[in-house]
DNA sequence: CGAATTTTTTAGGTCTGTCTAAAAAATAAA
DNA sequence: TTTATTTTTTAGACAGACCTAAAAAATTCG
């Protein structure tokens, strides 16, 4: 892979962890190291590089935080990742649990026109195969949809699967084998069959009119 | 077997130059360096690595040559490169002059199932957008088609464009602007308009029954 | 508060792939 | 067949990204 692959992965990690922890917070190098499966000193070094490039600022012993430029670049990466995942599932017929690692490579392909054409080819999708929103070309995420953790949803009302939280492969495979995928309608009685560990990962929304029928 | 982009590009260069120069010939490190836009000592170093990996053999001061394993790996790279080029042109609507650099990146994506699915998605194409044959999953190139350089084709007979030789971007753009693409039928009078420098790059075959009509 | 623990950075190495400059081998010319 | 030229390899450096071990700062706790 090209040289910037690792830089870009660090950038994305900083973005992801920063989003999780709230806007103005500093992300610890330890957290990034764990997320990237790398040792903390390696992250410190890379954070310095990102700082040089104007992608992040670094407060020693506090953590790192993206600059506006860094955030913009991170969003193009997220966009590419999720568009490729969509392509792999929608067009090539991959399962939703198979695409993350491949998209992790594809997201680093450097070509603006490629991303635009892929986006158009897919019909400008707004969410990826895991229900995560796809940033627009201008770097805006349409976070208009309000999703609720399945476990917090009222027990007597039906709902519809809108996204899965942390796309761990195993979780996705097990959900699929239970007949649960994006858009699946869950009635109160359906929920009894879902193990807690899986239910924790599922985000739901009110049942929409144009639902996808369950295949059970 | 950890692979890297640069190793793979060296492997492919060795394959390409080896094919051009005939089966049993040794490829000079200088030729590879020129082809890869790298200095000769870098190639020497990489040839040693490929030799370690069992991909090539090296005769000092003579050159390098692929082993059967190396040839097999090189063919999977060529296959990936040409499948991606086909995808970019056929599905995403790129021009044939735009796809080489992007495919040069995409060919290094590491996923066997991705290649197979892409191949199926494209309908198992046998040639890429430049007319070059696409190796099969088993590493076989169907070189059944006999193409003739346009300049050697009898002046009074019509022919059909089957491939372009060295896919230089400028050449491809100029050919397109003359209305010449893959499958274009060239009648004797059409050939008068084609500059020598361009005609040199064109390979033709006898006019087939199901030709693509020219857009002029 | 001050000592013990945890977190983070610095210091110093390794590995890969590149470079330039110099040495060695092969080839061409006289 | 010697000498000159070209080609190729070796030697030594450098940059990026990673590591372990040790030092420094921040945090926790008695
Ligand atoms: Mn990645
Ligand atoms: Mn996703
Ligand atoms: Mn390449
Ligand atoms: Mn091609």
């Amino acid at each position: 892979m090209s040289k910037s692959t690792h830089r870009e992965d660090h950038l994305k990690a900083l973005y992801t962890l920063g989003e999780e922890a709230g806007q103005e917070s500093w992300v610890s190098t330890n957290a990034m190291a764990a997320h990237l499966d790398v040792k903390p000193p390696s992250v410190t070094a890379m954070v310095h590089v990102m700082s040089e490039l104007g992608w992040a600022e670094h407060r020693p012993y506090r953590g790192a935080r993206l600059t506006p430029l860094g955030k913009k670049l991170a969003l193009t990466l997220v966009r590419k990742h999720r568009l490729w995942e969509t392509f792999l599932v929608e067009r090539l017929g991959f399962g939703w649990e198979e695409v993350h690692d491949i998209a992790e490579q594809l997201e680093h392909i450097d070509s603006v026109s490629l991303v635009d054409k892929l986006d158009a080819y897919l019909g400008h999708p707004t969410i990826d195969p895991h229900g995560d929103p796809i940033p627009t070309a201008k770097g805006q995420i349409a976070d208009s949809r309000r999703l609720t953790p399945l476990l917090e949803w009222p027990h007597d009302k039906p709902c519809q699967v809108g996204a899965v939280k942390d796309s761990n492969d195993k979780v996705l495979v097990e959900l699929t084998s239970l007949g649960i995928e994006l858009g699946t309608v869950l009635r109160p009685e359906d929920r009894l069959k879902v193990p807690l560990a899986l239910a924790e990962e599922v985000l739901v929304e009110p049942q929409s009119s144009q639902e996808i029928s369950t295949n059970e």
Side-chain angles (χ1 to χ4, degrees), chain A residues 163-211:
Chain A
V164 282
K165 225 178 260 180
D166 192 10
S167 309
N168 172 277
D169 288 5
K170 265 189 211 159
V171 168
L172 294 175
V173 169
E174 289 174 30
L175 283 172
T176 304
S177 72
L178 285 173
I180 295 175
E181 53 190 24
L182 232 57
T184 300
V185 173
L186 291 177
R187 293 185 190 74
E189 63 269 24
D190 296 328
R191 295 177 52 177
L192 303 174
K193 301 181 302 188
V194 183
L196 189 67
L198 291 181
E200 265 178 344
E201 303 292 329
V202 176
L203 299 174
V204 299
E205 58 192 339
Q207 188 177 350
S208 79
S209 40
Q210 357 87 309
E211 91 245 14

Side-chain angles (χ1 to χ4, degrees), chain A residues 102-118:
Chain A
I102 303 177
E104 200 55 52
Q105 298 177 61
L106 285 164
E107 69 192 359
H108 304 290
I109 302 293
D110 182 25
S111 165
V112 174
S113 59
L114 174 58
V115 184
D116 291 346
K117 284 192 154 75
L118 184 65

Side-chain angles (χ1 to χ4, degrees), chain A residues 9-49:
Chain A
D9 282 337
H10 280 74
L11 177 70
K12 215 170 45 132
L14 179 48
Y15 169 79
T16 304
L17 296 170
E19 289 298 298
E20 280 175 11
Q23 315 296 4
E24 299 301 306
S25 65
W26 296 89
V27 176
S28 77
T29 47
N30 253 20
M32 287 179 67
H35 190 261
L36 291 162
D37 193 24
V38 142
K39 301 299 177 190
S42 307
V43 173
T44 303
M46 194 61 89
V47 163
H48 286 155
V49 171

Side-chain angles (χ1 to χ4, degrees), chain A residues 11-126:
Chain A
L11 177 70
K12 215 170 45 132
L14 179 48
Y15 169 79
T16 304
L17 296 170
E19 289 298 298
E20 280 175 11
Q23 315 296 4
E24 299 301 306
S25 65
W26 296 89
V27 176
S28 77
T29 47
N30 253 20
M32 287 179 67
H35 190 261
L36 291 162
D37 193 24
V38 142
K39 301 299 177 190
S42 307
V43 173
T44 303
M46 194 61 89
V47 163
H48 286 155
V49 171
M50 290 196 283
S51 192
E52 280 297 305
L53 292 167
W55 294 0
E57 45 179 336
H58 182 222
R59 287 269 198 288
Y61 293 99
R62 279 231 130 58
R65 187 164 64 167
L66 290 180
T67 62
L69 170 62
K71 186 166 180 180
K72 190 177 140 198
L73 293 174
L75 280 167
T76 70
L77 281 169
V78 170
R79 172 173 162 79
K80 289 196 280 180
H81 185 101
R82 293 180 180 167
L83 283 174
W84 279 116
E85 283 190 341
T86 304
F87 167 72
L88 294 172
V89 169
E90 297 279 311
R91 302 299 167 120
L92 295 195
F94 277 97
W96 66 349
E97 80 283 2
E98 301 178 289
V99 296
H100 183 80
D101 289 351
I102 303 177
E104 200 55 52
Q105 298 177 61
L106 285 164
E107 69 192 359
H108 304 290
I109 302 293
D110 182 25
S111 165
V112 174
S113 59
L114 174 58
V115 184
D116 291 346
K117 284 192 154 75
L118 184 65
D119 182 40
Y121 183 61
L122 297 172
H124 305 287
T126 56

